[in-house]
Amino acid sequence: TPEDCDNGVDDDNDFKIDCADPGCAETEICHTLCSSGANSYCGFKQVWQTDAGDPSQVSDYGCFGAEGLDGPDFYYKFSPTQPSWVTVSLPTAFFGANLVVIEHQDGGCNGSNCVASGPAPLTFSAIGGQTYYVGVDGQANASGKYEINIDCE
């Protein structure tokens, strides 16, 4: 049985699931899927880094301004409890760092559901109870250390 590239099952019994399977690696769906590396919340602050040589989870986002973001990326799962304006900032960041906001739809994090992107600070309107993925990605394969803050009004 060939591998179904987005069902979370090893369909062809080669011990590789979905986008980790060589039969799926170059499919369109595998260039838009991401996974959350950490949970976040209003008032969240963290110092982290992406490393050169780490893979880029998403190389094709579905929103304006996200072209050329092909560096190693990291995603924060964010679920506000009430409607709010959310501002994501990078007080310190590597050259080329950009932000993307992806709305959780169809079971997960998919870059085609991008609702906002751009350099920091980035502000978007969040729906209470909706899950989002806030990503830090680099232009032209850029990577490095950054500080991220998520604030809500």
Side-chain angles (χ1 to χ4, degrees):
T1 306
E3 185 71 21
D4 178 339
C5 300
D6 68 349
N7 67 350
V9 175
D10 179 16
D11 301 294
D12 58 4
N13 298 313
D14 66 354
F15 304 103
K16 296 179 178 154
I17 297 173
D18 296 344
C19 295
D21 191 286
C24 292
E26 294 305 316
T27 62
E28 183 177 336
I29 190 76
C30 291
H31 289 274
T32 61
L33 297 178
C34 51
S35 59
S36 173
N39 289 324
S40 63
Y41 46 86
C42 294
F44 179 82
K45 296 179 187 316
Q46 183 180 52
V47 174
W48 198 250
Q49 72 180 42
T50 57
D51 294 315
D54 284 351
S56 176
Q57 293 184 55
V58 178
S59 58
D60 187 14
Y61 295 100
C63 59
F64 179 77
E67 300 82 13
L69 299 180
D70 56 3
D73 40 11
F74 193 84
Y75 298 89
Y76 298 86
K77 188 175 184 180
F78 174 71
S79 301
T81 57
Q82 59 189 27
S84 56
W85 285 101
V86 179
T87 299
V88 183
S89 60
L90 299 172
T92 58
F94 58 91
F95 182 78
N98 275 260
L99 296 166
V100 293
V101 178
I102 299 168
E103 187 175 71
H104 178 97
Q105 293 180 18
D106 303 322
C109 180
N110 185 321
S112 62
N113 298 323
C114 179
V115 296
S117 66
L122 183 64
T123 300
F124 69 100
S125 176
I127 299 168
Q130 173 67 48
T131 297
Y132 299 89
Y133 301 91
V134 176
V136 179
D137 203 340
Q139 286 184 320
N141 208 28
S143 62
K145 189 174 182 178
Y146 63 89
E147 177 185 353
I148 185 169
N149 295 346
I150 300 177
D151 296 301
C152 305
E153 291 181 22

